[in-house]
Amino acid sequence: MVPTTTVPPRWQVPARSVLARRTPLTITLVASAFAIVWVLLGWKTSYGPAIDDPTDFLYTTLDSITFAGLLFIVASGFTLIFGLMRAVNMAHGSLYLMGGYIAYDVEQKLAGNGGGFGLTSAQVSWWQWVVPAIVASAAMAGIGLVMQQGFLRWTQGQDIRQALITIAVSLILADQMIAHWGGLEKNIAFPDFVGTDKFIVIGGVSYAWSRIFILLIAIGVGVVLWGWLHRTRTGMVIRAGVDDRQMVSALGVNVQLVFALAFIVGAALAGFGGAMGGSFAGVAPEVDGQWLLNALVVVIIGGMGSLGGAAVGAILYAFVSDFSAAYLPTTSDNCCTEYSVIFTFGLLAFVLALRPLGLFGRPA
């Protein structure tokens, strides 16, 4: 006789088990309520009570949403590689930075500036911005293909070795970028119709149209990626590979081809993010390390291999970073980023304590 397992009724479940399941939700709700009350009442904040002056609160909210868009563009490529290949591409930030530099050079040549300084949005037409972004994406896709086929393909499953290889590639690219572009910051000009002198009225405040443009591009990238991953055979194979690579390979799918394709798309998104980020805040040495960290935190929070997780992780990261810098007490006039860093990694630790695989991560 086969033994059966009977699930006890809800009222028979030990109180300790129910409490253990509800504790994370309770802590999250209490922490969120406290943060909202803190911001609204303005206890020792930089901007003062949000209910007295909602303008700064709205500006901070819009800044967080648009920053999340740029984070998502970069992190979505990282999560494809991380989720499918189980490889932490430590050169992702370098691909971002090099993509920005290449976009800068191409824009300078197309706008007739000969690589000089001082391009403004009035001098750049829409195609003189779009073409550099496409060229940067294609160039980083090519570098990504060389990395995957030349180095990572032969070390599949060797996590530490792959991490060391990508660190080495990152250092090589960083030295080459300094040798070619120097140590000064380069700024990519937005096209004329998105220039920094263009504003849009939202909620009664005038807000930069360029930041809204970044958000719209991020939404477009998300829609295209979602359609590719959920409505095409290739995307379904990639999602299946994230869950069970061995089974996908046993079904006769060329897993190496899928790996190469995912790496190409991920590297292209890093390059495109570099073009967007260079237009948003410029590109300079050491920016690659910051954006590698940004992408890593977003993917860990959201869960590797999850496009929705990357979006949610980007939003949480941006809101915690911007609001903690704006609304937490400071120890001096120019000291607010310390709280931003502390609470950003506090968010990371909190998520991992409750969901070790990330908010949308699944074991594979």
Side-chain angles (χ1 to χ4, degrees):
M1 183 175 181
V2 179
T4 58
T5 302
T6 303
V7 179
R10 182 182 179 87
W11 60 271
Q12 291 183 354
V13 177
R16 183 176 299 178
S17 300
V18 176
L19 181 61
R21 291 199 303 267
R22 292 180 178 177
T23 297
L25 178 60
T26 302
I27 293 175
T28 302
L29 293 176
V30 171
S32 301
F34 178 76
I36 294 172
V37 171
W38 184 290
V39 170
L40 290 177
L41 297 182
W43 294 331
K44 299 180 181 180
T45 65
S46 302
Y47 284 157
I51 55 176
D52 292 345
D53 185 7
T55 301
D56 289 321
F57 178 81
L58 181 56
Y59 270 123
T60 307
T61 301
L62 292 174
D63 285 346
S64 301
I65 295 174
T66 52
F67 180 46
L70 183 56
L71 284 171
F72 171 75
I73 292 175
V74 180
S76 58
F78 191 84
T79 195
L80 279 176
I81 298 172
F82 192 12
L84 181 62
M85 300 179 62
R86 303 296 189 271
V88 181
N89 180 19
M90 302 299 289
H92 198 75
S94 295
L95 297 179
Y96 167 92
L97 183 57
M98 180 167 279
Y101 277 130
I102 291 176
Y104 167 81
D105 272 357
V106 175
E107 184 184 71
Q108 293 282 321
K109 293 178 181 178
L110 291 179
N113 209 37
F117 296 95
L119 271 180
T120 63
S121 296
Q123 299 173 280
V124 179
S125 61
W126 69 269
W127 69 271
Q128 290 172 333
W129 184 88
V130 172
V131 171
I134 295 176
V135 172
S137 301
M140 294 307 99
I143 292 178
L145 178 62
V146 172
M147 286 176 56
Q148 196 277 329
Q149 290 292 303
F151 303 103
L152 302 180
R153 179 178 180 178
W154 316 108
T155 57
Q156 192 64 43
Q158 304 176 39
D159 298 341
I160 296 179
R161 183 169 295 182
Q162 287 187 332
L164 291 175
I165 290 173
T166 54
I167 289 174
V169 172
S170 177
L171 293 175
I172 293 171
L173 292 179
D175 286 342
Q176 293 304 310
M177 284 186 281
I178 292 178
H180 184 75
W181 285 285
L184 298 177
E185 180 180 344
K186 311 293 184 183
N187 291 288
I188 304 170
F190 274 115
D192 183 46
F193 74 94
V194 188
T196 53
D197 59 337
K198 303 293 192 303
F199 296 90
I200 183 173
V201 178
I202 301 176
V205 301
S206 182
Y207 195 71
W209 168 240
S210 58
R211 297 192 67 131
I212 301 298
F213 177 71
I214 292 175
L215 178 61
L216 294 177
I217 292 294
I219 293 174
V221 169
V223 171
V224 171
L225 284 176
W226 185 90
W228 179 53
L229 291 174
H230 291 82
R231 291 292 183 265
T232 66
R233 183 179 182 275
T234 303
M236 293 178 184
V237 170
I238 290 178
R239 288 191 295 116
V242 171
D243 291 334
D244 196 332
R245 287 176 294 172
Q246 289 77 15
M247 180 59 70
V248 171
S249 179
L251 291 174
V253 176
N254 188 344
V255 177
Q256 290 301 327
L257 179 61
V258 175
F259 284 174
L261 181 60
F263 213 99
I264 289 173
V265 174
L269 286 170
F272 183 71
M276 294 288 296
S279 305
F280 171 69
V283 288
E286 299 184 1
V287 169
D288 50 346
Q290 180 60 51
W291 276 96
L292 171 63
L293 181 62
N294 290 342
L296 188 60
V297 171
V298 168
V299 171
I300 291 176
I301 291 174
M304 65 179 184
S306 172
L307 187 64
V312 173
I315 293 172
L316 289 175
Y317 181 106
F319 269 82
V320 169
S321 177
D322 287 356
F323 271 88
S324 60
Y327 283 98
L328 285 177
T330 58
T331 56
S332 64
D333 293 337
N334 298 317
C335 182
C336 62
T337 54
E338 60 176 282
Y339 287 102
S340 176
V341 173
I342 290 172
F343 277 84
T344 296
F345 283 95
L347 170 66
L348 179 63
F350 181 75
V351 170
L352 290 180
L354 301 180
R355 301 275 298 179
L357 298 178
L359 295 176
F360 294 89
R362 294 175 298 177

